[in-house]
Amino acid sequence: MSERYSRQTLFAPIGKEGQEKIRGKHVLIIGAGALGSGSAEMLTRAGVGQVTIVDRDYVEESNLQRQQLYTEQDVELKLPKAAAAQKRLREINSDVRIHSVIGDANPEKLAELADGKDLIIDATDNFETRLAINDISQKYKIPWIYGACVGSFGMSFTIIPGKTPCLNCLLKKLPIQGMTCDTVGVISPAVGMVVSHQAAEALKILVEDWDAVRPAFVSFDLWRNQYSSMKVGKAKDASCLSCGEHPTYPFLEAENQTKSTVLCGRDTVQVRPPKPLDIQLDELAKQLGALGYAVKGNPYLLSVEMKDERVVIFKDGRALVHGTKDMTAAKTLYNRILG
């Protein structure tokens, strides 16, 4: 056993046997932003055998405040986050096999990547991808760890197929909101707190200490000094289409995914959610205006001037992203604004 992990093996719940189990495991991390880079670093330092990181974005200057793997040079080179993370993680621990996937974590890609994975960690920025992860987890019986943070607020929950409620169950019971870092900001301590919860749960699962896995949904607000741990076992729904007695895995189906279409003859992509929303345009306008965006609106829509694009958002959640024909880039921008 390498001296490298001596302090970790001295921790009785892990020990040398647990370290060997960790070394034999493969973790899939969806998203290489704040949560993903933090979890990836912790697990790489812990000696996980293999880590696969999936992300479709590249490193920007605004990431450096909280995304700990990246540098100013990565920003200058506009490196894809997955590639930059892979490079840095290999420098941290050459014993760990790091795989990067530069692309969208859609249901097809998730199904392809699920094979041989022992754990999935959620580090995404939107519920469409999370619900697809949730269905993949249930379909292939792979545990996953939900995590999210915005402002000074964070939350986490560990989902074990066949034992705990799934995310689809929880969304019917808990008021999980769709705010984003691009609309209300985020502080790095909140990121670190969620990462710590996720990484601790990950180690429990990797060493197969199932009794130690937290059964509660955790949320906190570091600025307001609030911490909540809520037992949610009763939220498990036998009729749930993701984890119930007769699952159909609805969020892997095309009709339940956000649609994007390049408008004919225009440098514009239309993005629409799987189901109509009811956007509070006045509130969204205030949030975006506070961030320095030029926002104009009427009772029916908002027009938001970005750096290179203009986004028109309608009350039902549909949006027109002007200034691009790249559907992936348009969906990324859409998720940043609407979560």
Side-chain angles (χ1 to χ4, degrees):
M1 183 67 62
S2 170
E3 177 68 17
R4 179 181 202 123
Y5 308 112
S6 61
R7 300 305 183 271
Q8 189 161 283
T9 57
L10 282 171
F11 180 62
I14 294 180
K16 292 183 178 180
E17 182 179 348
Q19 189 63 44
E20 286 299 325
K21 288 180 179 179
I22 291 171
R23 187 179 180 85
K25 299 297 173 61
H26 192 163
V27 177
L28 175 61
I29 300 177
I30 309 300
L35 297 182
S37 60
S39 292
E41 179 171 344
M42 281 195 181
L43 294 179
T44 296
R45 291 186 183 278
V48 173
Q50 297 186 68
V51 175
T52 294
I53 306 173
V54 185
D55 195 281
R56 65 188 177 191
D57 208 351
Y58 61 90
V59 183
E60 299 177 276
E61 186 177 21
S62 63
N63 301 150
L64 300 181
Q65 167 253 353
R66 66 197 180 282
Q67 299 182 18
Q68 63 192 56
L69 288 179
Y70 308 126
T71 67
E72 292 178 351
Q73 185 178 33
D74 296 329
V75 175
E76 292 172 7
L77 296 173
K78 287 185 165 54
L79 285 181
K81 289 183 180 180
Q86 180 185 49
K87 177 179 179 295
R88 176 60 178 146
L89 293 170
R90 285 177 172 173
E91 293 172 346
I92 289 172
N93 192 345
S94 59
D95 289 337
V96 178
R97 294 171 62 188
I98 307 293
H99 312 280
S100 66
V101 178
I102 303 168
D104 203 7
N106 55 40
E108 293 78 15
K109 177 59 71 175
L110 289 170
E112 174 188 324
L113 293 171
D115 184 47
K117 304 305 186 294
D118 299 286
L119 174 66
I120 302 172
I121 292 182
D122 161 39
T124 62
D125 60 1
N126 67 90
F127 275 98
E128 178 184 347
T129 304
R130 288 186 176 112
L131 287 166
I133 292 171
N134 185 68
D135 277 8
I136 287 289
S137 161
Q138 298 300 322
K139 185 174 182 178
Y140 296 99
K141 309 303 180 189
I142 305 169
W144 76 285
I145 305 171
Y146 163 74
C149 60
V150 65
S152 57
F153 180 77
M155 59 185 78
S156 178
F157 182 62
T158 303
I159 296 168
I160 310 296
K163 292 186 177 181
T164 69
C166 75
L167 184 63
N168 196 15
C169 294
L170 290 182
L171 288 176
K172 300 170 186 175
K173 302 290 185 181
L174 298 177
I176 301 175
Q177 298 182 7
M179 297 182 295
T180 77
C181 297
D182 284 66
T183 56
V184 300
V186 65
I187 58 172
S188 59
V191 173
M193 188 80 155
V194 176
V195 167
S196 294
H197 279 92
Q198 288 186 295
E201 292 295 288
L203 289 174
K204 296 173 190 178
I205 291 170
L206 296 177
V207 301
E208 302 169 20
D209 188 356
W210 301 104
D211 290 338
V213 173
R214 186 185 63 243
F217 183 97
V218 165
S219 64
F220 61 84
D221 189 323
L222 293 179
W223 207 261
R224 295 175 176 82
N225 304 307
Q226 297 170 349
Y227 189 94
S228 171
S229 180
M230 184 188 313
K231 291 187 177 181
V232 293
K234 292 183 179 179
K236 188 166 177 57
D237 183 0
S239 65
C240 176
L241 296 180
S242 295
C243 73
E245 295 174 355
H246 304 287
T248 60
Y249 312 115
F251 299 100
L252 303 182
E253 299 173 2
E255 60 265 28
N256 285 325
Q257 298 171 36
T258 298
K259 310 297 190 299
S260 57
T261 308
V262 178
L263 298 189
C264 183
R266 300 170 63 185
D267 196 20
T268 299
V269 176
Q270 176 179 263
V271 182
R272 60 184 177 86
K275 297 178 182 178
L277 305 176
D278 183 14
I279 304 296
Q280 301 302 309
L281 295 177
D282 290 344
E283 185 62 30
L284 183 59
K286 291 177 183 177
Q287 293 173 350
L288 294 172
L291 291 171
Y293 295 120
V295 182
K296 297 179 180 179
N298 57 42
Y300 310 101
L301 59 84
L302 286 183
S303 177
V304 186
E305 295 287 344
M306 317 295 281
K307 183 178 180 182
D308 298 309
E309 299 90 7
R310 181 168 64 91
V311 183
V312 176
I313 304 165
F314 297 84
K315 278 187 66 65
D316 64 358
R318 185 171 58 89
L320 298 177
V321 182
H322 300 283
T324 184
K325 292 182 179 178
D326 186 329
M327 289 190 287
T328 298
K331 283 181 66 177
T332 297
L333 192 57
Y334 180 87
N335 286 326
R336 284 181 176 179
I337 295 174
L338 296 177

